[in-house]
Amino acid sequence: MATEIKVGLAGFGNVGKGTYDILKRNHSLIGQRAGAPISVKRVTARNVDRVKPLVDEDVIVTNDWHDLVNDPEVNVVVEAMGGIEPAKSLILAAIDAGKHVVTANKALLAEHGNEIFSAAQAKGVNVAFEAAVAGSIPIVKALREGLAANRVSSIAGIINGTCNFILSTMRDTGRSFDDVLKEAQRLGYAEADPTFDIEGTDSAHKLMLLSAIAFGVPVDMSKVHIEGITHLEAKDIKFAEELGYRIKLLGITKYTDYGIELRVHPALVPTRRLLANVEGAMNAVVVKGDAAESSLYYGKGAGSEPTGSAVVADLIDIARTAEVAVSERPRMPTTTHNPKAKSFADFGDTVCSYYLRIPVEDKPGVLAEIARILADNKISIESLIQKEAPLEDASTEIILMTHSTREADIQRAIRTMQQLANVRGAIVLLRKEELQ
């Protein structure tokens, strides 16, 4: 018989309430699958009076997270507060008290995961975080368990629903980024301050955790190249569609000869790929392994009960393994997991194909100048479209796709092209990902 799980739940916002509601509604089923009852004993929340009517009478509600750590009957702490502090202090205190931890806090783990995972390893407790990456999609378990026999070579994912909703809507309607962002905020897909989402930071946090699991590297956010979607124009989405691609904000990590890539940026994905057809606020992750080859995981990446579903799944796993020696459990991503892991790649060494949109003066010789600069940097053109200039305008745009080349080389070529007298504005660069 597994150990009965008595949960201390820190935070009763969307994730906390979703977790509690699932545990209450499916209490019997969850107990059968876990092999032991799982129930919430304590909740801490800023507004105690708001929460008390939402939980059973026997659940103790306070506003001090120390109560969870100090209660000897609480053997698992669920951190659903978000942010860095006091979440970090709570988790470390719970670990020190010998309690298992479940968290949905990707920002905290991406920034301070090395310290947290090492502390848990030393204390012999679990820190489970399925809910921190892609909501209801069991991608952490897929990497640690279902694909454990594989050498993973790459992971690419749409792991921010806000950005995917914005890009899908821009493509469907032709509207501007700013206009669609306002709609996303009105519908609740984007926060009042959407910076973490639209600038790519949220995706980068999740990607860092996936890379740590797949490749055994320590978390280090300074190694992630991050670009958001704020600079994207509707015309680039339209041109990409004409060329047979859709633009998605991807988190990509790859095991390469020159190191482990970690990058978040908008990318052109061929429309024939499943990932290109993930619409709205949905998430999806493609994992490529040497044995399983490519597999795709799709589902809701956020929301009260989708995220709560992942939290409860972690609680069930903890119930099943609570009495298993720490040496026998699946290892957490720590610096001791794979001490011989490759170093992180320099972003300038990244190799891929590129989309360029170059605004130019419509006159003879301009295209020849651009072709010469690309050739000087050992960059070959795969395809090219020159848009017809309006009758009243002397400017046009050259749209070209390159063959595979190094990031450093394409950036050097762009700097040179940008100085040409006949280039009339900022050159737009987007990367292409075939995802084969």
Side-chain angles (χ1 to χ4, degrees):
M1 182 72 173
T3 301
E4 180 179 359
I5 298 297
K6 293 191 175 181
V7 175
L9 178 57
F12 209 78
N14 280 340
V15 175
K17 185 177 185 305
T19 299
Y20 179 85
D21 289 346
I22 293 168
L23 284 171
K24 181 178 179 180
R25 184 174 70 240
N26 297 337
H27 178 75
S28 177
L29 177 66
I30 290 167
Q32 291 173 15
R33 291 176 176 173
I38 301 176
S39 60
V40 175
K41 185 189 179 192
R42 282 183 176 270
V43 173
T44 62
R46 283 176 292 191
N47 189 336
V48 172
D49 292 336
R50 179 186 71 83
V51 173
K52 277 187 175 181
L54 302 176
V55 299
D56 290 340
E57 290 183 359
D58 60 344
V59 177
I60 303 167
V61 184
T62 67
N63 60 9
D64 186 353
W65 61 260
H66 293 87
D67 295 339
L68 308 182
V69 177
N70 295 331
D71 188 332
E73 290 191 5
V74 168
N75 49 13
V76 181
V77 169
V78 172
E79 183 276 304
M81 297 185 291
I84 304 300
E85 287 292 355
K88 179 185 175 186
S89 295
L90 164 64
I91 287 175
L92 290 174
I95 291 169
D96 191 57
K99 301 179 190 295
H100 302 293
V101 172
V102 177
T103 179
N105 198 330
K106 65 266 185 181
L108 175 60
L109 295 181
E111 298 284 353
H112 301 283
N114 297 329
E115 178 184 359
I116 290 169
F117 295 136
S118 295
Q121 197 79 29
K123 271 289 184 177
V125 297
N126 281 338
V127 174
F129 56 95
E130 183 66 70
V133 184
S136 65
I137 303 173
I139 187 61
V140 172
K141 286 181 176 60
L143 288 169
R144 293 179 61 186
E145 299 172 19
L147 297 175
N150 286 253
R151 287 185 180 274
V152 173
S153 58
S154 68
I155 301 171
I158 297 168
I159 45 182
N160 183 275
T162 300
C163 290
N164 203 50
F165 173 83
I166 291 171
L167 293 176
S168 296
T169 306
M170 287 177 70
R171 191 195 73 246
D172 289 343
T173 65
R175 290 154 55 196
S176 70
F177 170 83
D178 290 336
D179 188 27
V180 176
L181 172 59
K182 290 175 184 175
E183 180 182 349
Q185 290 172 314
R186 187 176 70 254
L187 295 173
Y189 290 124
E191 302 286 345
D193 180 1
T195 305
F196 257 44
D197 293 318
I198 62 178
E199 295 293 355
T201 306
D202 176 77
S203 294
H205 286 150
K206 298 168 184 174
L207 181 71
M208 184 73 257
L209 295 175
L210 292 177
S211 188
I213 299 164
F215 304 126
V217 294
V219 295
D220 186 349
M221 286 299 297
S222 69
K223 304 300 184 183
V224 188
H225 175 84
I226 308 172
E227 296 177 25
I229 63 171
T230 56
H231 66 287
L232 284 175
E233 296 185 39
K235 67 171 68 178
D236 292 307
I237 293 174
K238 179 176 178 290
F239 292 154
E241 195 82 9
E242 289 177 8
L243 292 164
Y245 299 91
R246 289 183 178 168
I247 296 177
K248 299 291 183 182
L249 182 73
L250 295 184
I252 300 166
T253 183
K254 293 182 179 181
Y255 192 96
T256 74
D257 292 339
Y258 48 87
I260 293 170
E261 291 183 5
L262 277 167
R263 47 192 172 97
V264 171
H265 54 72
L268 275 71
V269 181
T271 54
R272 66 183 181 278
R273 302 293 180 204
L274 288 172
L275 207 60
N277 294 282
V278 174
E279 303 292 359
M282 301 302 283
N283 281 196
V285 182
V286 175
V287 182
K288 189 172 183 180
D290 64 333
E293 299 183 2
S294 290
S295 52
L296 181 139
Y297 306 83
Y298 170 89
K300 285 198 170 184
S304 178
E305 292 210 354
T307 307
S309 170
V311 171
V312 174
D314 279 338
L315 288 172
I316 292 171
D317 275 356
I318 287 172
R320 290 169 173 169
T321 63
E323 297 178 359
V324 176
V326 66
S327 61
E328 300 300 320
R329 296 184 195 137
R331 284 184 173 271
M332 289 176 286
T334 68
T335 51
T336 59
H337 181 195
N338 186 2
K340 295 182 180 179
K342 267 186 179 287
S343 60
F344 294 105
D346 186 294
F347 184 63
D349 289 331
T350 300
V351 176
C352 62
S353 303
Y354 295 85
Y355 160 102
L356 299 180
R357 175 167 60 82
I358 310 169
V360 297
E361 190 169 355
D362 188 20
K363 61 191 300 185
V366 176
L367 183 55
E369 285 185 306
I370 289 170
R372 175 184 55 77
I373 291 169
L374 292 172
D376 288 346
N377 287 278
K378 300 178 181 178
I379 301 166
S380 61
I381 298 172
E382 180 184 82
S383 61
L384 182 145
I385 302 172
Q386 183 166 347
K387 292 295 179 179
E388 185 175 350
L391 291 175
E392 70 281 1
D393 197 351
S395 65
T396 186
E397 291 181 309
I398 295 172
I399 317 296
L400 63 84
M401 303 288 291
T402 76
H403 288 290
S404 294
T405 190
R406 289 176 66 249
E407 179 77 24
D409 294 335
I410 196 75
Q411 293 291 352
R412 184 170 54 250
I414 288 175
R415 288 193 296 270
T416 305
M417 287 188 287
Q418 200 70 72
Q419 295 171 4
L420 293 175
N422 293 318
V423 171
R424 288 195 159 190
I427 297 171
V428 174
L429 174 148
L430 294 169
R431 297 163 190 88
K432 182 178 78 170
E433 289 293 328
E434 284 291 339
L435 302 176
Q436 292 178 339

